[in-house]
Amino acid sequence: MQMKKWLYTLLVIVLAACSNEIPEQQPAKRSGRTVLAYLISNNAGTSLDNDLRNNVIDMYTALGNMKESCTLLVFYRPYTGDAPLSKPTLMSFYADGRGNINNVAALTGSELTFDAVCRIAQKKEYTMNSQIATDPVVMEEVFTDMQTVAPSDSYGLILGSHASGWMKGTSVPTKAFGDDDGYNIDIPDLADVLKNSFSEKLDFVLFDACMMGTAEVGYELRETTSYCIASVMETPVYGFPYDQILPYLYSENVDYSAVCHEFMSFNKTNNLWGTCAVMDCSQMENLASAVKAKLSEWQDALSSVSMRNVQQYGVNSYKYFSYDVLDFFRELGRKSGIVKTTDLNEAIASVQSALNQAVIAKDCLSGVDYDFDGLVIDGTRFCGIGMYIPKEVNDYVPDNISWNNWNDYYKQSISWYRAAGWADLNLN
């Protein structure tokens, strides 16, 4: 009997020593890419809480259908502390590729609710007190925690909330990126946060937020991410169809064209509108150089350009914030005296070539069937991204728009302003 007890004890010790269970404080580094999501639903005015909850459910659904193991971390800033998350919370999900998430069979059907998903998640809560989710200190803390919880070969980041592109959120009625009870983070500050938080470039940053698909944003992020996925338009509140696109985002070589296509197919099915493009941020310097050279060559024609002839991407107070990069140069070329289409295409070939390298995927819903509050996209003039035109003319900026605020901030803080050559033109 004593011998049996001794053998049993020895067996337990051996099995424990051979166990592959990783202590919680020392997670194993996972091969491949880990996807991170930073979602802010505590929005002033129009809350995205219900829509972002549905996004999390869709992400969870995708994980349950994955055929390979993968990791998803979601930081969720809830709307005024509503249940089931009373505080900002980092949720971790580990899918084994066999239908299990966090060692439990993936939820389906009526059991698949946001509350249930939150219960299954491994969680860390943040008190934050008076701090906000768009505070650079808070963001860096969360991104550091994410990497501690899930060490990985590489990361891709989804940023979901309200947004308004490069525009400073406190100087004009805009949101920059994020809206935590009216507070946001400007894009240069966001670029610094990402640079400080990650030792290597992110594989991608996906903006599930309005109007981030601009040259200004892509250029600002060139040192922090390899690719930027975004829409130059306002985006429908439903966001991206994560149950469809998340598997692509885990692929070693992401099919970015498929991501754009799935997004537009989803919007089309739901009678919505939209654009989507993917910028190769390593090519943004080259694009800036091409834009700068052409602006310098045709600067005398700037004053005669009618911006009404250029495809633009905003509505209401955002109507003048972003114009199609290539379509702008088509109009500028015409004002420079180029009449024939073949001659014009040849004249703007340098910008077109740079765009071909910088915009690696794009898709849009074009035509009057996809009218958004009076804005109709012409697919034949859609290059994928837009840019602001900081020239002071009275033919496209009405008196009720504080465009001087836009120009002042643009000149002082947005790197694209100098890189693209606007500063060299001595515009007032």
Side-chain angles (χ1 to χ4, degrees):
M1 182 67 70
Q2 292 296 326
M3 178 63 72
K4 287 184 177 180
K5 283 186 176 181
W6 182 85
L7 288 174
Y8 177 78
T9 301
L10 179 62
L11 179 61
V12 170
I13 293 172
V14 170
L15 289 175
C18 294
S19 173
N20 61 359
E21 184 175 335
I22 307 298
E24 186 175 350
Q25 67 272 21
Q26 294 180 335
K29 181 176 181 180
R30 293 173 180 262
S31 61
R33 179 182 305 113
T34 292
V35 175
L36 315 173
Y38 197 95
L39 310 179
I40 306 172
S41 73
N42 187 39
N43 313 133
T46 303
S47 173
L48 296 174
D49 193 56
N50 186 63
D51 302 294
L52 289 175
R53 289 182 178 212
N54 288 333
N55 292 161
V56 173
I57 292 173
D58 287 345
M59 292 177 190
Y60 178 93
T61 299
L63 291 183
N65 294 328
M66 292 290 289
K67 301 306 180 185
E68 297 181 355
S69 61
C70 58
T71 303
L72 171 70
L73 272 63
V74 178
F75 172 80
Y76 199 93
R77 173 62 162 119
Y79 181 60
T80 61
D82 286 350
L85 302 178
S86 60
K87 298 177 181 178
T89 303
L90 175 58
M91 299 186 287
S92 304
F93 302 95
Y94 306 96
D96 64 4
R98 297 188 296 273
N100 301 306
I101 300 175
N102 291 353
N103 299 317
V104 178
L107 299 166
T108 58
S110 60
E111 294 181 347
L112 180 53
T113 64
F114 184 71
D115 290 43
V117 169
C118 292
R119 285 195 298 270
I120 287 173
Q122 296 180 14
K123 293 185 282 292
K124 175 181 177 178
E125 293 184 335
Y126 294 81
T127 304
M128 289 174 58
N129 296 322
S130 62
Q131 292 177 302
I132 55 174
T134 53
D135 186 319
V137 174
V138 172
M139 297 187 81
E140 289 185 27
E141 178 185 355
V142 173
F143 290 141
T144 297
D145 288 345
M146 286 176 161
Q147 293 170 83
T148 300
V149 170
S152 181
D153 287 347
S154 64
Y155 298 93
L157 174 62
I158 298 167
L159 293 170
S161 189
H162 287 296
S164 58
W166 57 265
M167 290 184 285
K168 185 176 179 66
T170 55
S171 65
V172 289
T174 66
K175 296 183 176 67
F177 170 73
D179 178 358
D180 187 351
D181 198 24
Y183 293 93
N184 47 65
I185 185 169
D186 297 327
I187 302 310
D189 293 333
L190 176 61
D192 287 341
V193 164
L194 298 181
K195 191 172 183 178
N196 294 336
S197 300
F198 296 93
S199 58
E200 301 290 337
K201 278 187 179 182
L202 292 159
D203 287 348
F204 62 80
V205 172
L206 184 157
F207 284 105
D208 197 342
C210 294
M211 305 187 295
M212 302 303 287
T214 68
E216 291 85 358
V217 172
Y219 188 85
E220 212 70 50
L221 298 183
R222 68 195 184 282
E223 296 180 356
T224 66
T225 184
S226 295
Y227 298 98
C228 178
I229 309 166
S231 171
V232 70
M233 287 181 66
E234 292 186 49
T235 56
V237 293
Y238 297 144
F240 281 72
Y242 291 103
D243 53 338
Q244 299 297 317
I245 72 163
L246 204 61
Y248 292 113
L249 300 182
Y250 282 105
S251 299
E252 181 177 357
N253 298 306
V254 179
D255 187 342
Y256 287 111
S257 293
V259 172
C260 292
H261 175 72
E262 292 287 356
F263 187 24
M264 291 303 98
S265 294
F266 174 79
N267 285 3
K268 183 176 181 178
T269 300
N270 288 280
N271 297 314
L272 301 168
W273 66 91
T275 70
C276 186
V278 182
M279 289 177 273
D280 180 345
C281 294
S282 69
Q283 296 295 322
M284 295 307 292
E285 290 275 14
N286 183 48
L287 178 59
S289 296
V291 168
K292 182 176 183 177
K294 196 55 65 176
L295 281 176
S296 176
E297 179 184 348
W298 287 344
Q299 61 180 304
D300 291 342
L302 273 170
S303 60
S304 59
V305 166
S306 173
M307 299 307 297
R308 293 189 181 91
N309 296 331
V310 182
Q311 174 73 71
Q312 65 89 27
Y313 294 109
V315 300
N316 301 320
S317 61
Y318 303 116
K319 190 173 182 180
Y320 309 96
F321 97 105
S322 190
Y323 290 84
D324 191 275
V325 175
L326 193 63
D327 204 41
F328 168 73
F329 282 106
R330 290 193 189 100
E331 176 65 11
L332 186 58
R334 294 186 189 99
K335 296 304 181 181
S336 297
I338 302 174
V339 178
K340 292 184 178 179
T341 301
T342 54
D343 293 340
L344 181 60
N345 289 339
E346 183 177 348
I348 61 175
S350 59
V351 178
Q352 177 71 80
S353 177
L355 278 166
N356 290 343
Q357 299 299 313
V359 181
I360 64 166
K362 63 178 180 176
D363 202 350
C364 70
L365 296 178
S366 64
V368 294
D369 289 341
Y370 307 103
D371 174 291
F372 169 58
D373 206 7
L375 173 61
V376 176
I377 303 301
D378 180 348
T380 65
R381 300 160 69 192
F382 173 64
C383 80
I385 60 174
M387 68 176 181
Y388 183 55
I389 310 299
K391 75 189 199 77
E392 298 187 12
V393 292
N394 294 323
D395 67 338
Y396 78 107
V397 181
D399 292 338
N400 64 338
I401 298 296
S402 300
W403 57 275
N404 273 328
N405 287 338
W406 293 7
N407 278 353
D408 290 345
Y409 175 70
Y410 195 82
K411 295 174 183 178
Q412 294 167 7
S413 302
I414 300 301
S415 302
W416 176 263
Y417 173 73
R418 294 189 178 280
W422 289 109
D424 299 334
L425 304 181
N426 296 316
L427 297 176
N428 296 321

